[in-house]
Amino acid sequence: EACKSPAEGHSPSLAPSAGAEQREKQYRAHRGFGDRRGGVISARTYFYADEAKCDQHMEIFLRCIDASGNSEDGFSAIKLTALGRPQFLLQFSEVLVKWRRFFHQMAAEQGQAGRAALETKLEVEKLQEALAKLGIATKAESQHWFTGENLGLSGTVDLLDWNSLIDSRTKLSKLLLVPNMKTGQLEPLLSRFTEEEDLQMKRMLQRMDVLAKRAAETGVRLMVDAEQSYFQPAISRLTLEMQRRFNRDRAVIFNTYQCYLKEAYDNVTVDVELSRREGWHFGTKLVRGAYMEQERNRAAQIGYEDPINPTYEKTNEMYHRCLDYILEEIKHSRKANVMVASHNEDTVKFTLRRMMELGIHPSEKKVSFGQLLGMCDQITFPLGQAGFPVYKYVPYGPVNEVLPYLSRRAQENRGFMKRANRERDLLWSEFKRRLFAGSLFGPNH
């Protein structure tokens, strides 16, 4: 069983914090930031009220984990915006995106613009010279940054090496300054947190830790849901930290990738490579995405590039490309796990065909499938009967909160009645087949 909560609430809009004008537009609080329901018809949304409310959400998630633990190989889904102040996720996302962008700016100066994320490698000598020229660090100061078990030994630094420089385990305060390429001035990656904001961040991490430990103890896999793109860098980073700790022996923590995002493939490949280097089990849920209308409206309103693929066909291509990469990783290492969370029959067929071609057997339970309770049973039940691990997502919560959520899912799935008719036709065909074969009431049926 896979459990998820559609609980919703209200909170006042959050005003932009001091220094917000210097922020990247996508990671800036705006007028409608406090209420993020607009245009969201297929996902639940949490609103920050206070820390006590976050504790209540954590307790609900713990009960969900315990309920999922009653079935073998259960899943439970959580949202990080339920566990802390979203403003922190917004700010932390800005840090990560600016740091990554700085890497690609340096790469462009070394003549590597346009390369895939994992293929971009900075030459350490040139990088040190650039850091010294920008006033971030002298060559002597940066020397020890690029020494270690693997970092820089090849004479190059890739994106994973670069990200490790601002890892929570590393204290390099000077690296919290990056140059603004327009002004030529060094700017702090992040305005100093207030004492209260620092406490809020620590409480969010503590709640995540409590949930991950309970999941590990009860044999439940914990899926961290994807959210809006302006939160996602922070959510993915925090989820990776949990995967590093809890996925040593098996995949307990699953990250979620939304394949309607233009950067989905880069994100998947970089994270898979990190799991390879560090030796933990990669766990992921692949979805198409739930915030398209809201994302596009926000991008147009605030003035930044639309992060969503331009067409449904492009999103399908992205989904299958990401999925194929993970299936190849399963074939080569058996240390990756994927949930194909989709109501799309073509995607399910694609997965089954590739599993057969790659020699991935259903009994290995490296690939599982998920559909919402009450939707696409014509996909779910044949998969289960064929021996594939398949899950029905069970929305839970007060009736007045669950019913609007389910009605929005019905609105989103406008082809629902068409699929229901198809399911009826399939059932009728199977009934006639069994009737004429004389196996209608056979022992195996």
Side-chain angles (χ1 to χ4, degrees), residues 141 144-145 164-167 170-177:
E141 285 175 324
H144 74 280
W145 298 355
S164 73
L165 293 178
I166 57 165
D167 194 289
T170 310
K171 306 297 181 187
L172 292 172
S173 58
K174 281 207 172 187
L175 286 177
L176 294 179
L177 294 174

Side-chain angles (χ1 to χ4, degrees), residues 434 438-445:
R434 292 186 185 183
S439 62
L440 188 60
F441 301 106
N444 296 325
H445 303 286

Side-chain angles (χ1 to χ4, degrees), residues 71-349:
S71 59
E72 188 180 350
D73 296 323
F75 276 103
S76 184
I78 65 169
K79 271 198 166 180
L80 292 199
T81 51
L83 299 174
R85 188 168 177 248
Q87 186 86 349
F88 157 66
L89 294 171
L90 196 71
Q91 290 174 301
F92 189 28
S93 291
E94 182 191 8
V95 171
L96 297 169
V97 168
K98 274 190 175 180
W99 189 243
R100 186 166 178 160
R101 187 164 294 146
F102 183 27
F103 173 83
H104 287 297
Q105 286 169 341
M106 304 292 276
E109 289 187 4
Q110 292 192 16
Q112 299 189 50
R115 286 194 187 180
L118 280 178
E119 293 172 9
T120 307
K121 299 179 190 297
L122 305 182
E123 291 181 35
V124 172
E125 285 285 333
K126 288 183 181 178
L127 176 58
Q128 288 177 310
E129 288 170 10
L131 291 171
K133 186 177 177 183
L134 289 165
I136 292 177
T138 66
K139 210 165 182 184
E141 285 175 324
S142 65
Q143 192 69 44
H144 74 280
W145 298 355
F146 305 107
T147 56
E149 292 179 22
N150 301 305
L151 186 57
L153 292 183
S154 61
T156 61
V157 171
D158 66 12
L159 184 59
L160 292 179
D161 297 328
W162 184 250
N163 285 342
S164 73
L165 293 178
I166 57 165
D167 194 289
S168 59
R169 295 168 295 184
T170 310
K171 306 297 181 187
L172 292 172
S173 58
K174 281 207 172 187
L175 286 177
L176 294 179
L177 294 174
V178 292
N180 181 323
M181 292 302 185
K182 291 181 181 176
T183 65
Q185 299 296 309
L186 288 178
E187 294 178 355
L189 271 178
L190 182 64
S191 301
R192 186 178 177 83
F193 271 7
T194 65
E195 193 173 336
E196 177 56 29
E197 285 175 328
D198 198 44
L199 284 171
Q200 288 171 348
M201 176 183 69
K202 287 175 180 172
R203 290 188 197 113
M204 177 186 277
L205 297 173
Q206 287 167 351
R207 291 180 190 113
M208 291 171 64
D209 190 60
V210 168
L211 294 172
K213 283 178 178 172
R214 180 70 65 88
E217 290 165 3
T218 54
V220 171
R221 275 82 57 82
L222 197 63
M223 292 186 296
V224 180
D225 275 350
E227 304 195 45
Q228 287 91 343
S229 64
Y230 41 95
F231 293 136
Q232 198 53 46
I235 290 170
S236 287
R237 184 57 182 256
L238 295 174
T239 304
L240 279 173
E241 288 300 323
M242 287 203 292
Q243 289 180 313
R244 280 171 156 166
R245 291 177 54 201
F246 293 94
N247 286 12
R248 286 291 163 193
D249 301 318
R250 65 186 187 93
V252 175
I253 309 297
F254 278 58
N255 200 358
T256 303
Y257 296 88
Q258 299 187 101
C259 294
Y260 68 2
L261 293 177
K262 295 172 182 174
E263 61 178 22
Y265 183 76
D266 273 353
N267 292 338
V268 167
T269 55
V270 166
D271 291 351
V272 167
E273 176 61 22
L274 182 65
S275 72
R276 284 187 199 126
R277 291 187 190 181
E278 297 185 343
W280 43 268
H281 289 250
F282 180 81
T284 183
K285 177 176 69 170
L286 284 185
V287 300
R288 277 173 170 75
Y291 305 97
M292 182 171 72
E293 184 183 340
Q294 187 188 62
E295 291 274 15
R296 287 193 163 147
N297 289 343
R298 187 178 190 271
Q301 178 187 351
I302 300 180
Y304 58 86
E305 183 189 350
D306 182 356
I308 308 294
N309 284 318
T311 65
Y312 185 74
E313 288 70 31
K314 287 289 183 185
T315 292
N316 280 344
E317 287 174 21
M318 180 66 80
Y319 194 107
H320 290 177
R321 189 181 178 202
C322 292
L323 177 56
D324 203 47
Y325 188 87
I326 296 165
L327 292 174
E328 289 276 1
E329 180 66 14
I330 293 172
K331 176 191 175 182
H332 292 302
S333 76
R334 291 316 200 250
K335 292 185 79 170
N337 304 260
V338 60
M339 171 176 271
V340 181
S342 176
H343 296 140
N344 187 300
E345 289 187 27
D346 290 336
T347 292
V348 172
K349 289 174 182 174

Side-chain angles (χ1 to χ4, degrees), residues 6-124:
E8 294 186 346
H10 298 273
S11 75
S13 293
L14 297 172
S17 61
E21 289 304 312
Q22 280 79 46
R23 294 223 168 93
E24 299 287 336
K25 287 183 177 179
Q26 188 172 357
Y27 303 96
R28 186 181 301 165
H30 68 299
R31 185 171 50 80
F33 178 69
D35 186 342
R36 297 183 302 283
R37 285 178 302 175
V40 180
I41 61 173
S42 57
R44 61 216 182 281
T45 307
Y46 289 93
F47 304 99
Y48 180 78
D50 52 40
E51 294 298 300
K53 190 68 176 175
C54 293
D55 285 333
Q56 289 176 23
H57 290 150
M58 184 186 72
E59 292 299 328
I60 292 169
F61 288 151
L62 284 171
R63 291 204 294 274
C64 176
I65 291 169
D66 290 341
S68 299
N70 292 326
S71 59
E72 188 180 350
D73 296 323
F75 276 103
S76 184
I78 65 169
K79 271 198 166 180
L80 292 199
T81 51
L83 299 174
R85 188 168 177 248
Q87 186 86 349
F88 157 66
L89 294 171
L90 196 71
Q91 290 174 301
F92 189 28
S93 291
E94 182 191 8
V95 171
L96 297 169
V97 168
K98 274 190 175 180
W99 189 243
R100 186 166 178 160
R101 187 164 294 146
F102 183 27
F103 173 83
H104 287 297
Q105 286 169 341
M106 304 292 276
E109 289 187 4
Q110 292 192 16
Q112 299 189 50
R115 286 194 187 180
L118 280 178
E119 293 172 9
T120 307
K121 299 179 190 297
L122 305 182
E123 291 181 35
V124 172

